[in-house]
Amino acid sequence: TFVIVHRDPGAIIIASTSEGKILLLEEEHPGRPPFLSIPAGGTESGETPLEAAKRELLEETGYTSDSWQEYAVYNHGGRTNHDVYVYIAQNCTKITEPALDAGEKSTLHHLLFDEYIRIATEDERFRNHDLALELCRMRFHGTLGEFRNQLFG
């Protein structure tokens, strides 16, 4: 019997600041080794992926943005049907402290573009594998400059 598991949509956020930095989280969750990630999470009841992205960015980083664009939608297919929406949030500004779940530990890093690309494509602790693969393709095809323009306008 072939079973397909359906999951609610998720969202990941590539967040840039007006200072030319990209936000990256260094996280620890109970029972897991530390990892690197960008803000992400699932939709809650009645929430759109964009609403989830805005909520997760604020909860995980304390930052918000008035400039959002949908960048991509990933779905691995196979036995799990799970759309993950990738958003770019430009000119993010800090308005509060992060509101982490119980047991979560997180350190927010502000990286220059080249350092972010290096970590995302070369550091095995970077958890957003679909994005890492896409960034490797961009580097191979020489299109990272176009991606930089999307992040910073």
Side-chain angles (χ1 to χ4, degrees), residues 19 29 35 39 46 56 63 66 68 75-76 93 96 102 107 152:
E19 294 82 27
H29 292 179
F35 60 93
E56 290 291 346
Y63 279 71
D66 290 329
W68 290 83
N75 186 317
H76 295 283
T93 55
T96 190
T107 302
F152 300 108

Side-chain angles (χ1 to χ4, degrees), residues 32-60:
R32 296 184 64 191
F35 60 93
L36 302 171
S37 182
I38 56 178
T43 54
E44 294 180 353
S45 181
E47 194 175 47
T48 67
L50 179 57
E51 290 167 338
K54 291 178 178 183
R55 177 181 48 77
E56 290 291 346
L57 178 65
L58 184 61
E59 287 177 1
E60 294 185 6

Side-chain angles (χ1 to χ4, degrees), residues 108-123:
L108 182 63
H109 299 279
H110 301 76
L111 303 178
L112 293 171
F113 182 80
D114 290 340
E115 181 66 4
Y116 172 78
I117 297 300
R118 186 193 67 74
I119 288 172
T121 60
E122 298 175 19
D123 193 316

Side-chain angles (χ1 to χ4, degrees), residues 4-31:
I4 296 177
V5 176
H6 296 277
R7 291 185 57 197
D8 289 337
I12 64 175
I13 304 97
I14 307 166
S16 64
T17 68
S18 59
E19 294 82 27
K21 303 288 179 79
I22 299 173
L23 304 181
L24 179 79
L25 297 166
E26 185 173 358
E27 300 186 72
E28 291 183 46
H29 292 179

Side-chain angles (χ1 to χ4, degrees), residues 34-150:
F35 60 93
L36 302 171
S37 182
I38 56 178
T43 54
E44 294 180 353
S45 181
E47 194 175 47
T48 67
L50 179 57
E51 290 167 338
K54 291 178 178 183
R55 177 181 48 77
E56 290 291 346
L57 178 65
L58 184 61
E59 287 177 1
E60 294 185 6
T61 67
Y63 279 71
T64 188
S65 172
D66 290 329
S67 178
W68 290 83
Q69 61 180 298
E70 185 179 305
Y71 176 71
V73 180
Y74 299 134
N75 186 317
H76 295 283
R79 294 184 181 261
T80 304
N81 184 11
H82 180 221
D83 289 335
V84 177
Y85 290 77
V86 182
Y87 292 97
I88 292 175
Q90 295 177 323
N91 299 314
C92 294
T93 55
K94 184 169 182 170
I95 62 167
T96 190
E97 292 302 313
L100 302 176
D101 292 332
E104 281 184 314
K105 295 180 185 176
S106 182
T107 302
L108 182 63
H109 299 279
H110 301 76
L111 303 178
L112 293 171
F113 182 80
D114 290 340
E115 181 66 4
Y116 172 78
I117 297 300
R118 186 193 67 74
I119 288 172
T121 60
E122 298 175 19
D123 193 316
E124 64 187 32
R125 297 174 300 153
F126 188 74
R127 180 172 82 171
N128 306 102
H129 300 127
D130 289 323
L131 180 59
L133 179 58
E134 184 147 348
L135 294 171
C136 286
R137 285 184 183 129
M138 286 183 219
R139 185 173 8 193
F140 179 79
H141 292 290
T143 59
L144 280 172
E146 295 168 22
F147 180 65
R148 180 195 307 252
N149 291 339
Q150 284 186 282

